[in-house]
Amino acid sequence: MEADISTNSLPIYEALASGVRLSIIHLLADKEMNIKEIAEALELSSAIMTMHIRKLEKAGIIKTKMVPGKGGTKKVCSLITKTIEISFPQKSDIQEKHYHKTVVSVGHYTDFEIKPTCGIATSQNVIGIFDEPRYFLDPERVNAGIFWFGQGFVEYKVPNYLMKDEEPTELEISMELCSEAPYANDNWPSDISFFLNGVLIGSWTSPGDFGGGKKGKYTPDWWWDEINQYGLLKVLKVNSVGTFIDGQQISNVTIDQLNVNQNLWTFRLAVLEDAKHVGGLTLFGSSFGNYNQDIIFKLYYQKNE
């Protein structure tokens, strides 16, 4: 887990600022336990223990699931975080890093045109049936935590909160994604293209569709082991030099070519029909995969005098 010195990471620090919650973490490091078992082990009431569990779950340190038992359904808790890395601000960050941040849920696409194999699901259930593109129009899609398709595109509309006295310097877009293979296949390349405001800013070749029995960190327990489990976190950056993904330049398109000053952007993810590797796309949201996030847009700017 990653944290920083900002209010975004406060739930993590609040969760750790308790001797009781530290004891809970030690207990769950050994095995899964339900709330009643943890309460008895620490000699506290179940009501108080529920409050502590909620704080740890909100911070992403543990996860819970409802499991039927002899005395009724019980909430079982498990530890999902092994380490926490804290990034402290650097001098350059303090001097320059002003930005507007927008988080877009993976299911909030505004347009699409896809071909099977395909599917879409929330953290609770599959929406409709597999390999039927019509279910990408289902109203429940706004709650989606994962979707996949073999070829085509999905497109998002993103609000821009830049003010008149702010000059954009860099746009950063991060998301967790991979290819889409039948079931899962770590060796299944796919050329995924990125468009902003109608401009192709670059492409990236995903090496595969990851699973093979290894569960994604945030992937729900009910999800099938045989299909897509997690992706790779990719960070796109467009600045005055060009477009980069994870620090490697993928095109010469600069931020000046993208008209980012307009009030609304369009962002498209596509697997093109004429690509060298037409291996599909899987996009993971905050309730699936290895990273607890949806699509994050950060527009960095400097103030005009």
Side-chain angles (χ1 to χ4, degrees), residues 5-121:
I5 307 301
S6 73
T7 56
N8 294 330
S9 297
L10 273 179
I12 297 172
Y13 304 130
E14 289 173 355
L16 296 175
S18 162
V20 172
R21 291 193 284 276
L22 294 179
S23 296
I24 294 171
I25 292 171
H26 280 287
L27 289 173
L28 295 181
D30 288 331
K31 62 179 180 179
E32 293 184 344
M33 300 175 70
N34 63 46
I35 289 180
K36 183 179 179 181
E37 291 170 334
I38 299 171
E40 290 175 350
L42 298 180
E43 299 182 348
L44 293 170
S45 70
S46 293
I48 292 176
M49 188 54 58
T50 298
M51 177 195 69
H52 288 296
I53 292 298
R54 283 176 182 164
K55 284 186 176 290
L56 289 167
E57 190 173 19
K58 181 181 177 182
I61 294 172
I62 70 169
K63 70 175 180 179
T64 63
K65 60 182 177 181
M66 302 304 295
V67 176
K70 293 181 180 179
T73 303
K74 298 178 181 179
K75 181 174 280 191
V76 176
C77 310
S78 58
L79 186 65
I80 59 173
T81 299
K82 294 182 179 180
T83 61
I84 299 176
E85 181 179 335
I86 302 174
S87 299
F88 280 78
Q90 303 299 312
K91 186 176 181 180
S92 59
D93 295 330
I94 298 171
Q95 289 177 339
E96 182 186 344
K97 298 293 185 180
H98 303 288
Y99 61 84
H100 295 290
K101 178 180 178 181
T102 304
V103 179
V104 179
S105 299
V106 300
H108 279 239
Y109 47 83
T110 54
D111 194 12
F112 71 94
E113 185 177 313
I114 61 169
K115 294 181 180 179
T117 52
C118 63
I120 183 169

Side-chain angles (χ1 to χ4, degrees), residues 95-225:
Q95 289 177 339
E96 182 186 344
K97 298 293 185 180
H98 303 288
Y99 61 84
H100 295 290
K101 178 180 178 181
T102 304
V103 179
V104 179
S105 299
V106 300
H108 279 239
Y109 47 83
T110 54
D111 194 12
F112 71 94
E113 185 177 313
I114 61 169
K115 294 181 180 179
T117 52
C118 63
I120 183 169
T122 72
S123 61
Q124 304 297 320
N125 57 271
V126 173
I127 299 174
I129 59 176
F130 288 172
D131 298 333
E132 179 47 77
R134 287 180 295 177
Y135 286 102
F136 275 62
L137 286 171
D138 191 288
E140 196 179 2
R141 69 178 176 81
V142 296
N143 299 316
I146 185 174
F147 65 72
W148 61 97
F149 58 85
Q151 187 257 310
F153 73 86
V154 291
E155 186 172 273
Y156 299 84
K157 296 205 180 297
V158 185
N160 173 24
Y161 298 112
L162 200 70
M163 306 301 289
K164 290 183 179 180
D165 62 343
E166 296 169 351
E167 184 69 25
T169 58
E170 183 174 77
L171 176 62
E172 178 183 297
I173 309 170
S174 64
M175 72 215 90
E176 182 179 357
L177 72 170
C178 68
S179 310
E180 156 51 18
Y183 297 100
N185 189 332
D186 289 357
N187 185 21
W188 190 269
S190 184
D191 297 333
I192 299 172
S193 297
F194 309 96
F195 295 79
L196 193 86
N197 294 337
V199 177
L200 174 61
I201 60 175
S203 300
W204 165 70
T205 301
S206 167
D209 180 2
F210 306 108
K214 183 180 179 182
K215 207 77 171 173
K217 185 176 181 181
Y218 296 98
T219 298
D221 290 333
W222 62 267
W223 192 250
W224 298 272
D225 291 339

Side-chain angles (χ1 to χ4, degrees), residues 231-294:
L232 301 174
L233 184 66
K234 310 310 292 182
V235 180
L236 277 165
K237 290 188 179 184
V238 188
N239 53 34
S240 61
V241 177
T243 301
F244 302 79
I245 191 163
D246 299 339
Q248 297 294 316
Q249 189 164 3
I250 57 173
S251 82
N252 293 321
V253 176
T254 65
I255 194 168
D256 295 333
Q257 298 172 254
L258 299 179
N259 195 20
V260 295
N261 291 83
Q262 63 189 30
N263 292 333
L264 190 70
W265 308 327
T266 59
F267 177 63
R268 177 178 289 195
L269 295 161
V271 178
L272 303 175
E273 186 177 8
D274 59 354
K276 181 179 179 181
H277 304 102
V278 183
L281 180 153
T282 303
L283 186 63
F284 299 83
S286 57
S287 52
F288 276 83
N290 280 345
Y291 299 89
N292 193 25
Q293 71 162 71
D294 289 285

